Structure formats: C-alpha cells, structure tokens
Amino acid sequence: MSQPRDHWSSNTGLVLAATGSAIGLGNLWKFPFITWENNGGAFVLVYLICIAAVGLPIMMAELLIGRRSQKSAVGALKDAVASKWPAGRKLGALAGGWGVLAGFILLSYYTVIAGWSLYYFTKSLSWTFGGYPVGMLPGDLFNGQALNTGLQLLLSLGFSLGTIAVVYFGVSKGIEKIARIFLPILFGILLLMLVSALGMSGSAEALGFIFRPNFSELGMEGILEALGHSFFTLSLGMGAMITYGSYISRKHSVVKASGAIVALDTIIALVATVIMFSVIFSVAGMREEISGSTVGMLFISLPELFYTEVPFGVVLGPLFYVLVALAALTSTISLLEVVSAYLIDERGLTRHKATIGAGAAIFVFTTFAVLSIPGLLGVSAEGLLSTMEIFDGKIGWFATADHFVSNWMLPTGGFFITLAAGWFMTREATKSELMDGTEPRWFKYGAWRFFIRWVAPIAVAAIIVFVIRGVDFS
Ligand code: PFF
C-alpha cells in the first residue's frame, strides 16, 4: 500500500520552500552578471516584463498541474495531457521524464558552484579573524581552489550530502522545515548587506544603472536572455514547481503562492544586484576589472572588496558566502526532490532509497563536472571531460551540460508545460484549480488563460527558434 501523500503544513510553508527553490545562484550569481553585460536599465525592465507575462503564468500552471494530480512531474503531466486527449499520456510522461533528466543534469554541476561558496565562507572566516592577506592575487586564489580536484570533490560531496539529508526527511519534516529556518536568515543577511551597500558612495550610480532604462543599449539577444533567465530563476520548465505543487493541499491557494514566490524571487535578484553594483561603483577602476565572467564578480572581485571597501565587510564577508550557500542549498533540495519524487511515485521506491540512490547517481556526474573544471576555466587540459565540444565554444562537460539545460531543456520543457495547461487541460480543470475560492481579488482567470495559451508559448517558442539559430543563453 502506498503511503498517504505528505503536504506542506501551510501556505507559508509552501511559499518559503518554493521561494527557496527559486532563489539561488541564478539570483546571486547569474542575474547581476547578465544585468552588467546588458548594460542595466532596459534589460532589467524587459526582465520584469518577462517575469510578469511569462514567468508568473507558467508558475501558476506548474503548481496547478501538480496540485490537481497530486503526483510528481511524470504522473502529473500524463494526467494533464490525458485531460482532453487520453491517448496522449505517453507524450506527457515523456515531457515529465525530460524534466526529471534536466533536474538530474542541473544538480550534477550546480553543487560544484555551490561548493565554491563553502570554500569562500571558510576563507573569509579566516580573513575576518586573521586579516586579509596583502598582495594576494584573488584570481590565483580562485583558480587554485577550483583546479584542486580533491578539494572540489570534497566541497561538492559535502553539499550533495547536505542536500540528500534534507530530502531524506521528506516534504514537511525536511524541505519545509529547512526553508522555514533558512529563508528568514537569508532575507536578514541580505537586508544587512543592502543597508551597508546603500551607504557606499557608488550606490546612487548603481541604482541609476539598474533602474534607468536606455533602450539603445539593449539588443534582441538581451531580450531573449532576460526571457531565458526568467525560467531558470523561477525554477520553471523542468517540473520542480509541478513536484512542489503536488504537495499543496486543497486548502491552499496556487494563485496567492505563485504571486508571492515570483515577487520574492524578483526582489531578491534586484537587491543582490543593487548590493553588488553599489560596491563595484564605489571603487575606482573596479568596472574595468569586472571582466568577462560571472565567476569573476562573485568569487574574484567581491571577496577582496569586503575586506578593503565595504563598511562592516569583515562581518558581512562571511555572512555573504553563507547566504550564497543557503540560497544554493534550498535550490539543490528542490532539484533532488524532482528526481526522488519521480522514483517514489512512478517507480515505487521508498523515500529513503530514492533519495540516497538518486543522490549517489547524480554525484557520479558531479565528479565529471569537477574533472572538467579546467575546460570551464579555459585552462589548457587533457582528457575528454575537459576538452569535449558538442556545442560550439562550450568546452568540457560542465559547460556542455549547462548549455544543454539552460538553452534546450528548460525552454522546451517550459513550452510543453504551457501547452499542457493551456491546451491539453480543459478549461474547467484549470479553472477549478485557480478559482477555488482561495484566489485573491486581483486575479482574473481569463487573463491567465490568454497568457498561458498565447503569450507564454509564443515567447518560449521564440527562445527555441533563436537557440536553433545558434544564440547562446547559458
Ligand atoms: N532557480 C534556481 C536559481 O535561480 O538558481 C535554479 C533552479 C533550481 C532551476 C531548481 C530549476 C530548479 F528546479
């Protein structure tokens, strides 16, 4: 006999857990960097529009698909397609499986980057107590740790074990409990950092850069990058939110939760960007130094600045890297849950076996990611994992996997989800999930249906067309 399904204990529990999934390296690491690359203002505005017009409707779609079927991604998408087209169950299963695979691959390298935050946390603690080493070249420190294979395996193993430990205890006793503790800590640290950053001399210029749009600075690729990133940052397109939706009980509102998750994720991304840019704009010559990589901003430029420029940086430095680690952990938890929930619901495994088995299998691929770090950093190296090139210019397994997930898997998965909710499910089915008496007054079902049937699929199809034509969003 199967166990009764675990549920979130309250709407707040659901919102915190799903927001924990959404807030991650995408907010703290990727968003500030792509905002920088795309010259701020106009890019940020377009991003906000993408979040509202595409991200929010798909968030509601994923949560409602999950809540309706009370099954993880594969089962839920099967049911969604079968709602109008019983013979299409296989297609739904295939799409769900595609999402589970995306979760598997994404988790395999996400823990490696998360591991770097653990390293910088311990390093910054030692600088806080022992003083920042004068004359150290931050780039050398970064490369030194990243190219130390043993250390990298240890860090990512630590992160993977932490993830497995939480998912092992299940939805309400593991995932929700951790989110209830970690998210408030995360918000608190960010608030402290924001106050400190706004006091710096470059903050006004940073705010202008981020919020004053100048459309001559933004090209078509920037627009698509904003759209592509809205999927990644909201954990959409691979069934994570379908899975979390399957633990929502009838009493709780999909619409309210979606609004809160999307709003919190967006605010945190903006706050992180304001903090980082305030620091960067306050230091002479720093802009030129923020060169060609995301890694550069978070792990090369910032550590030193905490100890030389930021008010209370000796305290904020270690706190910042704890923040990155906590944000990453609540995301890796949701990735492992996608894979584990599939094994539990569709393959009949117990939660304990599913979590440990999936965690161990994914870690095998994490070792591939670690072994391919030289390829990622452009350091000359030998061996297939570091030198393989399936996609143009993506050298090594790490870069290949990231490219495949962000460019191909999330948009195609997201496209299918818009079809499932907008076209395969009946109007009555989606309406009864969204308009169940728990919805807030601002919500209009007809508007949602228009966005999920037309706006979202067309926008996502545009990403896919551009990816096919060779544009790169990873
Ligand atoms: N939303 C996460 C971030 O912004 O870092 C990444 C992510 C987590 C994507 C979980 C997908 C997912 F299922």
Side-chain angles (χ1 to χ4, degrees), residues 19-28 30 103 106 110 229 231-241 265 327-328 330-332 334-335 338 410:
T19 304
S21 168
I23 297 175
L25 298 169
N27 303 60
L28 305 173
K30 209 163 176 180
L106 177 50
Y110 201 94
H229 184 66
F231 269 84
F232 186 83
T233 190
L234 294 174
S235 306
L236 298 174
M238 45 156 281
M241 291 299 168
D265 183 77
T330 47
S331 296
T332 53
S334 70
L335 289 165
V338 172
L410 298 188

Side-chain angles (χ1 to χ4, degrees), residues 87-289:
R89 291 180 77 81
K90 271 226 172 77
L91 183 65
L94 212 65
W98 186 239
V100 173
L101 185 65
F104 188 104
I105 300 177
L106 177 50
L107 184 53
S108 76
Y109 63 87
Y110 201 94
T111 41
V112 177
I113 308 170
W116 296 342
S117 64
L118 287 184
Y119 175 79
Y120 274 91
F121 168 60
T122 54
K123 265 286 159 205
S124 55
L125 266 187
S126 77
W127 296 331
T128 294
F129 291 106
Y132 188 80
V134 192
M136 178 188 63
L137 293 174
D140 289 351
L141 176 74
F142 177 78
N143 276 0
Q145 65 95 32
L147 295 171
N148 179 341
T149 306
L151 175 68
Q152 289 301 311
L153 284 175
L154 204 68
L155 290 168
S156 49
L157 180 65
F159 219 92
S160 304
L161 290 177
T163 308
I164 294 170
V166 178
V167 176
Y168 185 88
F169 287 102
V171 174
S172 55
K173 295 206 185 76
I175 302 174
E176 181 177 340
K177 225 181 211 154
I178 285 296
R180 277 181 184 276
I181 301 170
F182 283 4
L183 271 253
I185 299 178
L186 190 145
F187 295 149
I189 297 177
L190 264 183
L191 192 66
L192 276 181
M193 299 198 66
L194 182 65
V195 172
S196 166
L198 287 178
M200 295 184 73
S201 59
S203 61
E205 202 185 338
L207 289 171
F209 182 87
I210 298 165
F211 293 110
R212 201 169 301 133
N214 175 356
F215 280 92
S216 63
E217 308 257 17
L218 187 68
M220 190 59 193
E221 284 199 15
I223 297 177
L224 290 161
E225 191 162 16
L227 189 56
H229 184 66
S230 63
F231 269 84
F232 186 83
T233 190
L234 294 174
S235 306
L236 298 174
M238 45 156 281
M241 291 299 168
I242 296 182
T243 307
Y244 274 19
S246 73
Y247 306 122
I248 307 179
S249 71
R250 295 260 139 233
K251 291 181 291 214
H252 299 136
S253 167
V254 164
V255 178
K256 273 193 208 147
S258 303
I261 299 161
V262 169
L264 283 169
D265 183 77
T266 308
I267 292 169
I268 299 298
L270 291 174
V271 167
T273 311
V274 169
I275 294 170
M276 282 183 211
F277 289 8
S278 297
V279 176
I280 291 164
F281 283 121
S282 299
V283 183
M286 200 65 224
R287 291 170 195 229
E288 291 69 42
E289 249 184 66

Side-chain angles (χ1 to χ4, degrees), residues 373-396:
I373 291 177
L376 182 75
L377 300 182
V379 175
S380 75
E382 286 175 18
L384 179 66
L385 290 169
S386 259
T387 54
M388 63 189 281
E389 186 175 0
I390 297 176
F391 303 109
D392 259 0
K394 300 287 154 189
I395 316 287

Side-chain angles (χ1 to χ4, degrees), residues 313-468:
V314 288
V315 180
L316 293 178
L319 280 181
F320 178 73
Y321 290 102
V322 170
L323 166 88
V324 179
L326 294 184
L329 183 64
T330 47
S331 296
T332 53
I333 288 169
S334 70
L335 289 165
L336 184 57
E337 179 60 22
V338 172
V339 184
S340 307
Y342 159 73
L343 295 173
I344 297 166
D345 290 352
E346 300 292 319
R347 301 274 154 201
L349 263 64
T350 62
R351 172 163 288 273
H352 295 172
K353 274 195 189 141
T355 314
I356 294 173
I362 291 166
F363 191 73
V364 172
F365 287 83
T366 303
T367 62
F368 293 176
V370 166
L371 294 174
S372 69
I373 291 177
L376 182 75
L377 300 182
V379 175
S380 75
E382 286 175 18
L384 179 66
L385 290 169
S386 259
T387 54
M388 63 189 281
E389 186 175 0
I390 297 176
F391 303 109
D392 259 0
K394 300 287 154 189
I395 316 287
W397 202 86
F398 198 132
T400 304
D402 183 32
H403 179 87
F404 187 56
V405 170
S406 307
N407 281 12
W408 293 94
M409 299 195 88
L410 298 188
T412 47
F415 184 70
F416 190 85
I417 288 162
T418 62
L419 296 187
W423 295 92
F424 290 134
M425 288 181 84
T426 61
R427 189 186 172 88
E428 292 67 41
T430 51
K431 194 166 183 181
S432 68
E433 290 300 320
L434 296 176
M435 304 289 284
D436 57 357
T438 62
E439 75 281 358
R441 234 186 276 144
W442 54 261
F443 180 69
K444 300 281 172 279
Y445 176 77
W448 173 81
R449 193 161 161 83
F450 174 73
F451 276 93
I452 205 71
R453 281 167 78 92
W454 299 104
V455 180
I458 290 171
V460 182
I463 302 187
I464 298 170
V465 168
F466 276 81
V467 167
I468 292 170

